[in-house]
Amino acid sequence: MKEIAVVGTGYVGLVTAAGFADLGNRVIALDVDKAKIEGLNKGQMPIYEPGLEEMVARNVAAERLIFITSYPEALKNAEFVFIAVGTPEGVDGEADLKYVRSAAISIAKAMVAPLIVINKSTVPVGTGDWVADIISSEQEKPIPFSVVSCPEFLREGSALLDFMNPSRTVLGSTDLDAAEKVAQLHLPLRAPIMITNLRTAEMIKYASNAFLATRISFINEIANICEELGADVKEVASGMGYDPRIGPHFLDAGLGYGGSCFPKDVKALAHMAAEKGRHPQLLQAVMDINLDRRRLLLERAENLLGSLDGKTIGLLGLTFKPNTDDIREAPALDLARQLVEKGIKIRAYDPEGMSRAKQALPEIEMAENAYELARGCDALLVCTDWNEFKHLDLVRIRDAMRCPVIVDGRNIYDPAQMAQVGFHYRGVGRGYGPDGEPENSSLKGD
Ligand SMILES: NC(=O)c1ccc[n+]([C@@H]2O[C@H](COP(=O)([O-])OP(=O)(O)OC[C@H]3O[C@@H](n4cnc5c(N)ncnc54)[C@H](O)[C@@H]3O)[C@@H](O)[C@H]2O)c1
């Protein structure tokens, strides 16, 4: 059993805190957001993540997990402190490190004994050294400490599963002894552990996210070509995925990537490259292709309806991916904003993302479920591939709509079945005729 403090109780911090407590450690999770900590102390989760509430409750009851706002209290007995604060996008695309700086200063002022500071936030290469400098200069009296980079690879929506079954643990430090102590903490997870230097560990995180984003933009480029040539990108991706050199993951063509990580991390990596005089052409193309997806979906709806003026558009899904309530950089929100700007009426339904989306864009009218959403809509745009959308009663949806038009930004439906039910349906890259248009695609002249 180790004494661990976790700074930041967002998606990463809360999962890290609950996960290490579940492994039998004593964990103090700290946040500067008083309301969040008060809620957590009442058993209210600030985020939706499958299994999180139960895991938190179990470990709070066993007195292995507590939530506080005081740094001195959190660090009193801690041997390890994880930094898991946000690193949002700055004005020029760089990562904004103000929360990391503030956490490092608070740690420096509150620490009373030797400490291993572990950085889990995604931070630009070189930040580990910068954090070490801040702590040294802000300490009131010198107390030994080490900084270890331990980038986080969990996926929202399966964060606890990923915590307990990581693909790997990457650790970077100039202090091998500290890195090995952090490795010991991770041993029960039985994943490969790689120890390298600080900057390389930081770079592994950016390179991994940029590569996954690149796969998504790659398959979207292929989808565009499939549409022109009459091939089906879903089948193309399956056929490619059997090749062990390629693998099946992150080859889903559609509306592109979003969320709190890929957009900002690809941008931040491109920014780091540009700052050093490099021209990150591939990363730029990845970002451009991704933004284009949103335009493409709107154009597709417009083509099917003739014009969007005076129409009501329904968004099936608001979160950037299923099984989360996170709407940060969600393509659906961007689409909704663009439609609202054009004066088009927007309705939406999402199993978990509606309250956050309503705060971000009050103009969206929320529906209680997908059938309620369909009522009076001229077109539905599928923006998130929640499982429940895959199993809707399509006849009921068709009958509720003013026009049976579906633009499927996640390719969750079968074009042949949709045509059979009587929808004017378009997915993305799905083997249309040689002219790139499906037979029943246009309502113009209906
Ligand atoms: N969300 C993900 O899926 C994911 C995955 C891998 C890595 N990451 C990275 O992990 C980091 C955290 O991401 P997140 O999604 O958990 O962020 P988040 O915004 O959900 O949570 C950050 C938390 O830190 C708190 N905080 C800010 N400043 C603080 C301070 N000085 N002291 C204490 N608490 C403070 C905030 O109040 C907030 O609760 C980011 O760098 C992100 O890029 C995120």
Side-chain angles (χ1 to χ4, degrees), residues 125-404:
V125 177
T127 301
D129 299 326
W130 177 75
V131 163
D133 289 346
I134 293 177
I135 297 179
S136 303
S137 63
E138 294 288 335
Q139 281 181 330
E140 270 139 35
K141 58 175 193 287
I143 303 170
F145 72 93
S146 300
V147 174
V148 176
S149 164
C150 175
E152 180 55 64
F153 299 102
L154 63 75
R155 296 162 301 172
E156 284 180 24
S158 54
L160 291 175
L161 196 76
D162 291 348
F163 178 90
M164 289 300 174
N165 307 279
S167 49
R168 75 290 206 194
T169 298
V170 172
L171 302 173
S173 187
T174 45
D175 178 348
L176 191 59
D177 190 44
E180 270 165 5
K181 284 189 175 138
V182 181
Q184 294 288 326
L185 273 186
H186 290 82
L187 279 186
L189 300 173
R190 296 164 183 264
I193 297 178
M194 175 183 176
I195 298 183
T196 180
N197 64 55
L198 255 176
R199 286 170 182 243
T200 303
E202 290 165 344
M203 188 61 175
I204 287 171
K205 174 63 189 175
Y206 278 105
S208 300
N209 273 2
F211 185 69
L212 295 172
T214 301
R215 284 177 69 106
I216 295 172
S217 283
F218 173 83
I219 201 67
N220 279 326
E221 179 114 306
I222 295 295
N224 288 348
I225 305 172
C226 283
E227 283 183 7
E228 295 302 331
L229 302 180
D232 184 334
V233 73
K234 268 190 100 134
E235 308 256 318
V236 170
S238 303
M240 289 169 62
Y242 287 117
D243 186 329
R245 294 168 303 176
I246 297 175
H249 305 294
F250 285 80
L251 286 178
D252 293 314
L255 194 41
Y257 61 80
S260 68
C261 292
F262 286 6
K264 81 170 169 65
D265 292 349
V266 178
K267 237 185 240 178
L269 182 57
H271 187 271
M272 281 181 251
E275 259 192 341
K276 294 289 177 197
R278 297 287 173 163
H279 177 37
Q281 306 166 63
L282 178 60
L283 299 179
Q284 197 53 54
V286 167
M287 293 186 278
D288 291 346
I289 292 170
N290 197 54
L291 273 187
D292 261 3
R293 309 311 293 166
R294 302 164 190 195
R295 189 177 48 74
L296 177 122
L297 215 75
L298 289 185
E299 276 174 14
R300 201 144 282 186
E302 210 152 13
N303 283 343
L304 286 168
L305 290 169
S307 157
L308 295 181
D309 287 345
K311 303 288 195 315
T312 300
I313 304 296
L315 303 181
L316 258 183
L318 291 164
T319 52
F320 82 96
K321 65 190 270 191
N323 300 323
T324 180
D325 59 349
D326 198 345
I327 55 153
R328 289 179 285 184
E329 296 287 326
L333 261 277
D334 190 19
L335 289 183
R337 272 192 203 100
Q338 291 187 38
L339 289 165
V340 165
E341 271 168 28
K342 291 183 179 172
I344 290 154
K345 190 169 167 204
I346 294 292
R347 309 189 69 221
Y349 166 68
D350 186 283
E352 295 292 339
M354 293 199 290
S355 68
R356 284 177 196 263
K358 190 79 189 164
Q359 281 172 8
L361 196 61
E363 290 90 343
I364 308 179
E365 189 185 298
M366 301 297 176
E368 264 174 35
N369 54 50
Y371 303 102
E372 167 67 22
L373 169 70
R375 200 177 316 145
C377 276
D378 295 285
L380 288 180
L381 309 186
V382 180
C383 298
T384 315
D385 48 344
W386 283 94
N387 266 339
E388 70 169 76
F389 299 162
K390 298 177 186 165
H391 305 291
L392 293 174
D393 177 342
L394 292 170
V395 171
R396 224 178 124 193
I397 294 283
R398 179 200 65 197
D399 290 346
M401 293 181 73
R402 198 178 296 151
C403 279

Side-chain angles (χ1 to χ4, degrees), residues 6-14 30-34 36 46-47 49 69 71 83-88 97-104 106 119-123 151-157 159 205-206 209 259-262 264-265 320-321 326 328 356:
V6 177
V7 175
T9 58
Y11 288 87
V12 169
L14 190 50
L30 170 148
D31 206 289
V32 286
D33 184 336
K34 286 201 176 74
K36 209 177 247 191
I47 53 168
E49 193 59 53
T69 54
Y71 271 91
I83 298 180
V85 299
T87 48
L97 293 177
K98 63 175 182 268
Y99 302 119
V100 176
R101 169 194 280 279
S102 141
S106 304
N119 192 17
K120 263 213 166 297
S121 298
T122 303
V123 289
E152 180 55 64
F153 299 102
L154 63 75
R155 296 162 301 172
E156 284 180 24
K205 174 63 189 175
Y206 278 105
N209 273 2
S260 68
C261 292
F262 286 6
K264 81 170 169 65
D265 292 349
F320 82 96
K321 65 190 270 191
D326 198 345
R328 289 179 285 184
R356 284 177 196 263

